[in-house]
Amino acid sequence: MSLSLYLPLAGNSINIFLLFGLGGAVGFLSGLFGVGGGFLMTPLLIMAGIPSTVAAASDSNQIVAASTSGTYAHYRLGNVDFKMGIILIVGGVLGGTMGVYLIKALRALGNADFVIKITYVVMLGVIGGYMFVESLQSMRQKPVESKRTVTGPAKISLYTRLVQSLPYQMKFEKSGVTLSPLMPLILGVFVGILAAIMGVGGGFIMVPVMVYMLRMPMHVVVGTSLFQILFTCINVTIMQSITNFTVDLVLALILLLGSTIGAQFGVRLSKRLKADQLKILLASIVLVVMIQMLLSLVLPPHLMLAHKGGH
Amino acid sequence: MKVGGCARPRLILLLMLCLFLAAPAWAGDASPEIQVWPDTVEIGAFFSGPDVKIIGKIPQGAQAVIEIAGPAAPEHLMRKGRRTGLWMNVGEVEVQGAPSLYLAASTTAPLLKIPPAEATWGYPALKQQIRFAGQVEQEEREMFLDQFFQLKESEAVYAIFPGDLKVSGGSGDSQTVTGVLPLPTMIKPGAYQVCLTVVQGGRVIAKPCRDLKVVMVGFPAMLASLAYEHGATYGILAVIIAIVTGFAMGYLFKGKGGH
C-alpha cells in the first residue's frame, strides 16, 4: 500500500506521515498558546504542495477539531470565560464580515495582496516584538516587581481611565476583570477585520489583545481564545464549502487527528510553563514567521509567475 | 467499349501492384503504431501517480518522440513584481492554449532538446500555441514562457525526457521504441492523448495517437461529488466530524490528565 494519500479537492497526493506530523506540531502549539495555528499551518501546507485556497480552507476545518479538543481541555481546567468569549465572537463575526467586504474592494482596486502582506508583517512584527520585549523584561525584573509599574504609569492610567469611562460596566468573574462589554466587542470587531484580511482565525492577534488590552490572566486567555476560534472556524468551514469548494475533508481529517493529539500535549505543557515563558515562546514563533514573510517580500522570488488564489 | 472496359481494371491492378512493391515494407504490414499501458488510470484513495508504459513500432532508421498531453484550458496566474522595494503579485496573466499536462520523451536527446524549427513537439512547439492575455508586454513574452514552463515543471505536470526512449531491433524493417512516462500526482481526471511522432529524413512520416483516460474512483470520487454537488451538507458534515473528533480526542486524554 502506498504511503501517499489522495486529496480529492486539493487534487494532489501527499505523504500521510508528513500530514500527520504537520498536524501534530501545529496542534501542539495550538494547545500550548491558545492560537488556532492557521498562520503557521497554511504556509506549511502550501510548501507541501497543497493549493493555497485549499490549504487555508481545510486548515479552518482542522482548527475546528483542534480548538474543540483544546476548549474542552481548558474548560475542564476552568480556563474558559464564556461571557467574554461570546462577546468577542459577536465582534469577530461583525469584523470578519466587514473585512471580507474590505478585501473585495481592495481586490477591485488591484492592491489587495500588498495590503495583506504588509498587514501580516506589521501585525506579526508589532505583536511578536512587543510580547517578546515585555516578557523578557518581566522575567528579568520579577524580583523587583514594583519597577514594572514605574515604566509607564501615565500611559496605563490614561488607558485605564478610558476603559473605565465606557458605559455598561460589568464583572467578568472568570477573568477577574470589570469592564464595559463594548470593550471586547470593539476589540472583537478589530481582530475580525484583521483576521479576514489575513485569512486566519486571528488567535495570534486575539491572545495579545486579551492579555494587554482586556487584562485577562494568561491561562483564561488561552481557553477563551480557543473557544472564540472554534466558532470563527466553524463559520469559515461552512462558508468555504458552499462558495469555493475548497475544504478537503481527507486533508482536514489527517491534520485534525494529528492536531487533536498534539493539542492535548500542548495544553498539559501550558500548565507547567509560567505565563512569561509561554508569552516569550509564542513571541519567538510569531517573530520567526514575520522574518520569513519579510524575506519573501524583500528577496527576489524564484519564479515570476504564481497561481492565483490565497495570499 | 466492352473490351476497353475489361482492360482498364487490369491496368489499374497492375499499377497498384507496382506501387505496393515500390513502397517500403513497414508501410504495408508494419505501419507505425502505438500501444499504451494502462489505457485507463484510476485515481483512488492511495493514488501516487503511476508510470505509463508506451510501446511503438517505427521503421528502421527512424527517430521517434512520444508525448502525453492534456486538454488545454485557460489558466489564471499572477505575475510578480517589485513595488516600493517589495516583491508581490502585481497583475493577472491569463494563459491560453497550454496543455494541462505535457510529458515527452525522445529516442535521441537533440530531437527533444533542440527540435527542428518546424517540429510539432517539445517546448518550442508549445511556445507557438501558448497565448498570454492580461498584463504581459510583447517583449516579456519569451521570459514569461520560460517562467511558465519552470512553474509547470516544479509541479511535475510538464516534463521532457530527451533520449529516454529505448530502441530495440525488432524484426525486418521495423524497430520497437519503449518509453515509461511518470504521471504526476496532480493529474486531473479527464481525457489525455498519447502520440508517437515518427521522424525520418528530417520530416514527420506518421503520428499515430491513442487515448488515455484518467478517472477518479472510490472514496475520492464520492467525496468530490458530495463537495461539488451538495456544498452545504458537505460543510456541515466536515464541521460535525471535526467537533466529534475533537471531543473524542479530548475525552480519550481525560483519564491520563492530572485533573
Side-chain angles (χ1 to χ4, degrees):
Chain A
M1 193 177 74
S2 166
L3 292 175
S4 294
L5 197 65
Y6 186 72
L7 311 170
L9 277 94
N12 203 352
S13 288
I14 193 164
N15 186 290
I16 194 164
F17 295 112
L18 174 72
L19 271 189
F20 196 75
L22 278 179
V26 177
F28 177 75
L29 297 175
S30 169
L32 188 59
F33 304 120
V35 295
F39 75 105
L40 284 175
M41 183 64 96
T42 306
L44 289 175
L45 287 176
I46 294 167
M47 275 185 234
I50 307 293
S52 53
T53 46
V54 178
S58 308
D59 189 27
S60 298
N61 191 23
Q62 78 85 20
I63 294 171
V64 171
S67 51
T68 300
S69 175
T71 305
Y72 183 51
H74 277 284
Y75 167 71
R76 288 204 320 269
L77 299 171
N79 288 344
V80 184
D81 186 337
F82 286 104
K83 199 199 276 185
M84 187 74 87
I86 288 166
I87 297 170
L88 287 168
I89 288 165
V90 173
V93 169
L94 287 175
T97 313
M98 286 158 73
V100 166
Y101 282 105
L102 188 66
I103 278 292
K104 217 173 184 179
L106 287 169
R107 281 206 196 283
L109 291 171
N111 50 8
D113 286 308
F114 178 80
V115 175
I116 289 164
K117 289 212 165 183
I118 290 297
T119 310
Y120 250 106
V121 171
V122 171
M123 286 308 297
L124 293 173
V126 168
I127 292 169
Y130 185 74
M131 274 179 84
F132 192 86
V133 171
E134 199 266 354
S135 312
L136 208 63
Q137 277 178 349
S138 167
M139 279 168 90
R140 279 182 184 164
Q141 295 173 355
K142 210 126 221 188
V144 200
E145 201 66 48
S146 58
K147 231 180 173 181
R148 269 187 79 188
T149 50
V150 179
T151 49
K155 200 178 164 189
I156 289 169
S157 66
L158 180 73
Y159 176 73
T160 311
R161 256 185 287 149
L162 183 77
V163 170
Q164 283 170 353
S165 67
L166 288 168
Y168 320 116
Q169 294 282 324
M170 64 160 74
K171 187 158 176 59
F172 293 86
E173 288 87 6
K174 266 277 177 333
S175 303
V177 293
T178 302
L179 42 83
S180 165
L182 286 175
M183 194 66 195
L185 189 73
I186 292 164
L187 291 172
V189 169
F190 167 73
V191 174
I193 291 173
L194 285 176
I197 290 175
M198 296 163 78
V200 294
F204 75 102
I205 312 169
M206 190 58 94
V207 167
V209 160
M210 287 178 180
V211 172
Y212 297 111
M213 305 191 81
L214 297 175
R215 307 272 166 80
M216 290 162 65
M218 188 63 188
H219 289 107
V220 180
V221 163
V222 173
T224 311
S225 167
L226 281 171
F227 174 67
Q228 179 260 336
I229 286 163
L230 172 62
F231 282 86
T232 309
C233 289
I234 285 176
N235 182 39
V236 171
T237 301
I238 294 173
M239 292 311 290
Q240 293 280 25
S241 298
I242 295 170
T243 54
N244 297 324
F245 313 109
T246 43
V247 176
D248 195 302
L249 193 54
V250 178
L251 171 63
L253 273 172
I254 302 296
L255 287 178
L256 71 82
L257 278 178
S259 70
T260 42
I261 294 170
Q264 294 295 329
F265 287 105
V267 168
R268 280 184 209 185
L269 186 64
S270 83
K271 284 294 287 177
R272 289 192 194 154
L273 290 175
K274 292 191 180 88
D276 287 329
Q277 290 172 318
L278 273 177
K279 276 191 265 177
I280 210 158
L281 265 175
L282 178 59
S284 307
I285 293 168
V286 168
L287 284 176
V288 166
V289 176
M290 188 276 286
I291 290 166
Q292 192 267 338
M293 191 157 279
L294 191 64
L295 286 177
S296 80
L297 282 171
V298 175
L299 299 175
H302 173 59
L303 281 174
M304 301 303 285
L305 279 176
H307 285 282
K308 203 182 167 188
H311 305 317
Chain B
M1 286 288 281
K2 268 184 184 175
V3 173
C6 254
R8 219 156 150 191
R10 250 182 258 154
L11 189 69
I12 292 169
L13 271 173
L14 192 70
L15 274 171
M16 279 174 73
L17 186 68
C18 288
L19 279 170
F20 178 76
L21 291 172
W26 57 268
D29 61 349
S31 60
E33 57 183 55
I34 181 172
Q35 286 171 307
V36 181
W37 288 279
D39 58 2
T40 302
V41 172
E42 293 185 341
I43 301 177
F46 299 101
F47 180 73
S48 57
D51 288 338
V52 173
K53 190 176 182 185
I54 302 135
I55 296 180
K57 205 190 249 184
I58 62 169
Q60 287 286 1
Q63 300 292 330
V65 176
I66 285 174
E67 296 165 288
I68 304 181
E75 201 169 340
H76 297 272
L77 299 174
M78 300 299 290
R79 67 173 289 177
K80 292 191 182 285
R82 213 167 183 187
R83 296 277 186 277
T84 57
L86 302 173
W87 289 95
M88 62 192 74
N89 293 334
V90 289
E92 195 179 320
V93 176
E94 189 182 317
V95 186
Q96 297 158 346
S100 59
L101 175 84
Y102 185 77
L103 307 174
S106 59
T107 46
T108 60
L111 195 60
L112 200 51
K113 270 188 183 164
I114 338 153
E118 67 279 6
T120 55
W121 63 88
Y123 287 164
L126 287 187
K127 283 183 177 179
Q128 300 294 320
Q129 69 186 61
I130 293 174
R131 299 274 173 275
F132 287 122
Q135 296 183 21
V136 174
E137 301 297 328
Q138 190 54 38
E139 59 268 25
E140 295 175 315
R141 194 182 130 79
E142 195 62 29
M143 186 269 283
F144 274 108
L145 279 167
D146 291 335
Q147 291 285 313
F148 180 72
F149 290 140
Q150 277 187 49
L151 177 71
K152 292 289 174 185
E153 283 187 344
S154 73
E155 296 166 344
V157 289
Y158 278 29
I160 56 167
F161 305 93
D164 271 19
L165 290 184
K166 284 193 185 110
V167 183
S168 47
S171 58
D173 293 330
S174 69
Q175 53 186 354
T176 306
V177 287
T178 311
V180 177
L181 294 176
L183 288 187
T185 53
M186 275 181 89
I187 195 165
K188 287 185 170 55
Y192 293 79
Q193 277 253 304
V194 186
C195 292
L196 169 75
T197 305
V198 185
V199 185
Q200 198 165 37
R203 62 187 186 91
V204 175
I205 56 164
K207 192 178 179 181
C209 292
R210 280 285 170 101
D211 288 338
L212 171 69
K213 265 193 237 163
V214 177
V215 288
M216 212 187 273
V217 295
F219 183 67
M222 195 186 77
L223 209 61
S225 92
L226 181 66
Y228 289 114
E229 288 160 28
H230 309 280
T233 313
Y234 179 86
I236 293 164
L237 188 74
V239 165
I240 292 170
I241 291 173
I243 290 175
V244 169
T245 314
F247 267 121
M249 299 310 271
Y251 185 77
L252 278 176
F253 279 81
K254 192 181 175 182
K256 294 172 191 169
H259 297 263

